Amino acid sequence: MTRRSCAIYTVGAICALLLVSGIALMVAQVFRNLMHKRLKKEIVLVEGSRVFESWKTPPPPVFMEFFFFNVTNAEEVLKGEKPEVKQIGPYTYREYRFKDNVTMLDNNTKVSAYNAKSFVFLRDKSVGDPDVDNITTVNIPLWAAMNKAQGYKSFLLNFMITGTKSRPFTTRTVQELLWGYEDALLNRIASSGTDVERVFGLMYKKNESSDGEFVFHTGTQNYLDYARIETYKGERMLKYWSTNESNSILGSDGSAFHPLLNKSERLYVFSPDLCRTIYMEFEKEVEVKGVPAYRFTPPRSVLASKEENPANEGFCVTPKECLGTGVLKVSPCRKGAPVVASFPHFYLGEDKYIEAIGGMSPQRHHHQTFLDLNPTTGVIVRASKRAQVNILINRISGYPDTKSLKETIFPVIFLNESVEIDDASAAKVNKLLMIVNVGSNFPLIIVGLGGIMLIVFIVLLIRAHQQKKRVKRIVFTKAAYATATEEDTSYSPVNTKEKDDSQNGNYIGMTTKTEQ
């Protein structure tokens, strides 16, 4: 076997080995599984893991925007006319979040923590000064008191209302409405011996505070349990609603999600503000700062009526207090106050709620809640939590100011809590994704090399075939020439007499044959 033939067979063998092994590894997904196994080990809530420090203190800045609905015809509303509101905002705050009092439990399989938050006002991102700007809105302390003190109790409360000059609508500064003010009616009620907070504010006691203790799974036993809530305030179930399904605490707290997400799964998020678990479903693929992501959003069924979604029947406060699609009465966890939650401008809600208030204009782009998650790592690359606080107002027996009112879900404020991954974190995620992709697609590299070797093998075969044909042609030509010369040529001495030469031997001459 020639050296050239050996080289060809060697290239062919290497080509076959690379192609077969590469395809086999692709089919078995060996490298992909190895990379995913590595991810599952690294993305866990334990000291020293890739994500633990960023989970405790998230680096991307979080912003909280507040938009108020200023009532422009309060007196007319009390006479039975349609409310007209004007949206004013945003009043923007930088939200600092961190996990406080972090404690590892059960051999690192669980971790307890408090979600601490603090807020700092950002004047450059706001429409005005919260200490100066006034908002006319529903007098929430009064409506809460009237809803609780009905029947014979209304007589005493009416006396207090008259004495404090409280009205169904009030005008307060943004600062007071958000962070609290001492309400005259609440003060009077508290003075009578009732255990009532004297100060009211939509965000009262929420600055430099926490929602309570959470216990999370670390994900060391099962990556799908990463950041999943085990208990909240020591409980596995809530006690506000009428069914176990409605009281279930499922999923995460919305700050972390397990890696290796797929489009078909539902993501569950427990919200202490809503006093319930909501779920989100895949909507579309997006990209943020070069990081690919899946967008998950809450579907209409989350806040659908019991007729539209029977599973929501457990959220009815009573059979008679079952609201329609797009709203949720959360009075059981708001000390009986007639508070109703919804998406901003009643997005995804029934038209009757939108049409009842002048100034409502639901738009998906501005009012949809969404989570953009990198499917490989589960990292949040962009998110926006949007919710609206409303008050249910209606005619309440025993209170003259309400006699002309129609039952209306009245918008007070909507908030937009948003975050987008910072450049440094995006660079880290992209680097990790590159490593994962290269590792997962290593069999493709092997197949590619096998393909290159196949091309080289084919070229060598073609060249070898051409060389073989060229050699045969040369041999054939030489053979033909040699036959013709031997037949036409004879050898004879130069002289008829042979002459010996001591040095060079006989002299021989070639002559052409002649016919004899």
Side-chain angles (χ1 to χ4, degrees), residues 8-290:
I8 292 173
Y9 290 134
T10 302
V11 170
I14 295 173
C15 167
L17 178 63
L18 289 173
L19 287 174
V20 171
S21 60
I23 293 172
L25 290 172
M26 283 177 62
V27 172
Q29 297 186 335
V30 174
F31 282 87
R32 181 173 178 270
N33 291 336
L34 285 174
M35 294 306 298
H36 286 182
K37 188 176 181 180
R38 180 73 179 273
L39 272 178
K40 293 172 187 178
K41 285 186 177 181
E42 290 196 4
I43 301 181
V44 290
L45 297 179
V46 296
E47 289 283 357
S49 72
R50 184 183 290 271
V51 297
F52 192 63
E53 289 303 318
S54 61
W55 173 76
K56 289 198 298 183
T57 309
V62 180
F63 298 98
M64 179 72 88
E65 297 176 315
F66 297 100
F67 299 83
F68 288 87
F69 295 104
N70 187 57
V71 184
T72 59
N73 63 337
E75 292 302 320
E76 288 76 10
V77 172
L78 293 175
K79 296 174 184 177
E81 293 187 17
K82 178 180 178 178
E84 295 289 337
V85 300
K86 180 181 179 182
Q87 179 178 298
I88 299 178
Y91 294 90
T92 307
Y93 292 77
R94 170 72 188 273
E95 181 180 339
Y96 293 90
R97 316 179 89 186
F98 63 94
K99 297 290 192 296
D100 193 20
N101 197 20
V102 177
T103 307
M104 303 307 300
L105 305 170
D106 297 345
N107 196 27
N108 286 349
T109 60
K110 298 182 182 71
V111 57
S112 68
Y114 291 79
N115 291 332
K117 299 178 184 179
S118 61
F119 300 87
V120 176
F121 180 66
L122 302 177
R123 182 64 183 88
D124 61 322
K125 293 181 178 292
S126 304
V127 297
D129 187 343
D131 289 316
V132 176
D133 296 353
N134 288 316
I135 302 293
T136 298
T137 187
V138 177
N139 189 344
I140 298 178
L142 173 61
W143 283 97
M146 290 192 298
N147 270 268
K148 293 196 75 172
Q150 297 189 30
Y152 72 91
K153 295 180 182 179
S154 64
F155 176 78
L156 179 59
L157 184 59
N158 263 316
F159 179 76
M160 294 181 179
I161 291 172
T162 303
T164 57
K165 298 180 180 180
S166 298
R167 299 296 308 279
F169 292 93
T170 186
T171 299
R172 297 283 179 176
T173 65
V174 169
Q175 179 71 16
E176 289 176 322
L177 289 172
L178 283 177
W179 307 111
Y181 62 93
E182 189 170 305
D183 183 77
L185 180 61
L186 293 178
N187 198 18
R188 180 69 65 86
I189 295 172
S191 299
S192 68
T194 307
D195 184 19
V196 173
E197 184 69 62
R198 297 171 185 264
V199 177
F200 170 78
L202 294 165
M203 296 290 291
Y204 180 56
K205 291 186 175 180
K206 291 190 177 181
N207 196 8
E208 298 182 353
S209 65
S210 70
D211 297 324
E213 185 191 36
F214 285 87
V215 174
F216 303 95
H217 288 267
T218 61
T220 54
Q221 294 179 312
N222 186 340
Y223 80 98
L224 293 174
D225 286 336
Y226 171 77
R228 181 172 67 82
I229 298 170
E230 172 69 9
T231 61
Y232 171 61
K233 292 184 177 180
E235 301 290 339
R236 287 188 171 89
M237 301 278 287
L238 301 174
K239 299 176 181 178
Y240 303 127
W241 312 108
S242 60
T243 64
N244 288 337
E245 183 178 2
S246 300
N247 281 315
S248 297
I249 299 174
L250 303 174
S252 76
D253 65 344
S255 65
F257 296 88
H258 70 77
L260 307 178
L261 296 163
N262 63 70
K263 297 177 180 179
S264 61
E265 69 180 299
R266 272 185 174 179
L267 299 183
Y268 290 89
V269 178
F270 172 67
S271 171
D273 293 327
L274 287 177
C275 314
R276 62 163 289 185
T277 298
I278 67 169
Y279 53 84
M280 297 187 176
E281 296 175 348
F282 173 80
E283 183 183 278
K284 62 181 179 180
E285 294 185 19
V286 296
E287 185 176 290
V288 181
K289 296 184 179 180

